[in-house]
Amino acid sequence: MRLALAQARLAPAGGDVPIGAVVVGPDGEVWGRGHNLREATGDPTGHAEVVALREAARTRGEWRLSGGTLVVTLEPCTMCAGAAVLSRVDRVVLGAWDDKAGAAGSLWDVVRDRRLNHRPEVVGGVLEAECAALLTDFFDGHR
């Protein structure tokens, strides 16, 4: 989670919300890193999770990221939860919960929907206070 937090701290330089993500393999090797890039790139899919999953797929040379763990500072939205499912990561580890748009157990539970063919394990609340504070500080500075 510390690596994801470091990624999150890079996002505001491009005008983006400080959310960071990393994809790590079973041995702890980092397969991919990402932070929000929507504002910086004008890409609506430029969420930290998608950026990290894309880099992980390039690193691995395949889209199936079995054995991998997606670590993200904020609970994934529906798009990112879907990307986690479709990438076949084994687990999603998240920092702060998002009761407004979260899709890993808060508002929706896309990642554990029994109708889907893959359901990653979810571990939530890792360094939750630190992850939440990063977001709160960012938004306090923009009000």
Side-chain angles (χ1 to χ4, degrees):
M1 186 60 73
R2 297 255 180 241
L3 293 174
L5 280 162
Q7 284 295 308
R9 290 184 183 98
L10 299 173
D16 282 283
V17 176
I19 299 171
V22 293
V23 180
V24 296
D27 60 356
E29 175 190 3
V30 176
W31 292 349
R33 302 170 197 264
H35 56 276
N36 274 4
L37 294 171
R38 289 189 314 169
E39 298 296 331
T41 62
D43 179 357
T45 67
H47 290 208
E49 300 95 324
V50 172
V51 173
L53 289 166
R54 285 179 179 156
E55 184 176 296
R58 279 192 301 275
T59 298
R60 305 281 300 153
E62 62 179 310
W63 63 266
R64 285 182 188 88
L65 301 176
S66 301
T69 298
L70 172 64
V71 181
V72 61
T73 58
L74 181 67
E75 181 182 3
C77 68
T78 53
M79 176 182 69
C80 295
V85 169
L86 293 172
S87 71
R88 308 295 197 271
V89 293
D90 286 2
R91 76 197 45 76
V92 175
V93 175
L94 63 98
W97 293 95
D98 184 354
D99 60 355
K100 293 180 182 176
S106 289
L107 188 57
W108 295 288
D109 201 352
V110 170
V111 295
R112 293 178 287 199
D113 190 317
R114 293 200 176 277
R115 295 169 291 184
L116 299 176
N117 64 341
H118 180 73
R119 290 179 297 280
E121 171 189 11
V122 175
V123 178
V126 176
L127 297 180
E128 183 173 6
E130 191 172 342
C131 292
L134 191 60
L135 290 162
T136 300
D137 292 348
F138 175 80
F139 286 113
D140 283 350
H142 282 78
R143 290 189 179 126

